[in-house]
Amino acid sequence: MSLAGKRIGFGLTGSHCTYDAVFPEIEKLVSAGAEVIPVVTFTVQNTETRFGKGEDWIERIEKATGTKVVDSIVKAEPLGPKLPLDCMVIAPLTGNSMSKFANAMTDSPVLMAAKATLRNHRPVVLGISTNDALGLNGVNLMKLMAAKDIYFIPFGQDEPQKKPKSMVARMSMLQPTILEAIEGRQIQPVLVERYMDGE
């Protein structure tokens, strides 16, 4: 199957250290002919970190996709009934947003876009990046893994010695994960030795 002509929502949450691994994958989706609609949380919009300013990341994703970001809940809601997506991606997905998504809290444009996509029984693909996936957030991770129409980019521990509860997706597997998800399948294996990737 080809991604040409597919409408792919791409949500960014506040794991700023993961953006450099994510942006090449966005560019690959565009090169494959997908229409990529960027969606950002309020944290992405308003936070400045050692990894860069929110406004600079927004400018970069708009340039990469050729599309203005969806930056409000009001703008994200039509991605369900009026402007449906073929797939919604959230990568990186922080532990904070993961816990909210797992518990049906919709307080950001990204989570609204995901909820709107699930309304249409279309796939939502998650690329986690969280320091507590094997801690308090583990219950939310498992809840989402068991949910219908939700799929995961393969993930694993990124620094098991220094951060034993942390898990991060292997972002380089984003495109094959989307292709499988559109067909209703979870790519396997979903658990990988992420800390050996060298990403």
Side-chain angles (χ1 to χ4, degrees):
M1 190 209 334
S2 169
L3 288 177
K6 299 292 186 185
R7 283 173 48 83
I8 309 294
F10 205 105
L12 285 182
T13 70
S15 181
H16 299 82
C17 61
T18 316
Y19 294 169
D20 280 337
V22 167
F23 271 80
E25 304 311 313
I26 295 173
E27 292 166 354
K28 288 178 187 176
L29 293 177
V30 174
S31 295
E35 177 188 358
V36 180
I37 297 94
V39 188
V40 295
T41 62
F42 303 123
T43 299
V44 174
Q45 296 175 53
N46 300 314
T47 304
E48 179 177 346
T49 72
R50 63 191 173 96
F51 300 102
K53 299 178 181 179
E55 60 198 53
D56 294 336
W57 287 114
I58 288 174
E59 181 180 351
R60 184 174 169 185
I61 197 170
E62 288 181 339
K63 183 176 180 181
T65 62
T67 306
K68 298 290 285 183
V69 297
V70 174
D71 57 6
S72 72
I73 292 174
V74 172
K75 292 178 184 177
E77 196 275 337
L79 296 176
K82 294 181 181 178
L83 302 168
L85 302 170
D86 292 293
C87 180
M88 175 67 194
V89 176
I90 308 177
L93 175 68
T94 61
N96 186 50
S97 289
M98 181 168 70
S99 66
K100 292 176 180 180
F101 190 31
N103 291 284
M105 296 174 64
T106 308
D107 67 349
S108 77
V110 170
L111 295 179
M112 174 55 80
K115 177 182 176 181
T117 302
L118 290 178
R119 284 176 57 184
N120 295 331
H121 298 291
R122 301 284 176 86
V124 174
V125 168
L126 305 178
I128 66 170
S129 180
T130 171
N131 286 327
D132 68 341
L134 296 178
L136 289 176
N137 233 333
V139 65
N140 295 311
L141 175 59
M142 291 300 107
K143 186 183 289 188
L144 290 170
M145 289 196 78
K148 185 178 174 64
D149 298 322
I150 294 178
Y151 304 88
F152 283 81
I153 301 170
F155 59 87
Q157 290 176 282
D158 54 314
E159 286 192 79
Q161 303 306 320
K162 295 180 180 179
K163 302 187 297 181
K165 296 181 181 179
S166 177
M167 299 189 92
V168 177
R170 185 180 282 173
M171 298 301 179
S172 60
M173 294 190 70
L174 173 61
Q175 190 163 323
T177 302
I178 291 173
L179 288 167
E180 288 291 294
I182 290 174
E183 295 292 328
R185 296 186 296 264
Q186 170 63 59
I187 196 169
Q188 296 293 341
V190 70
L191 295 178
V192 294
E193 291 183 285
R194 172 63 173 76
Y195 70 98
M196 299 177 70
D197 290 354
E199 286 185 357

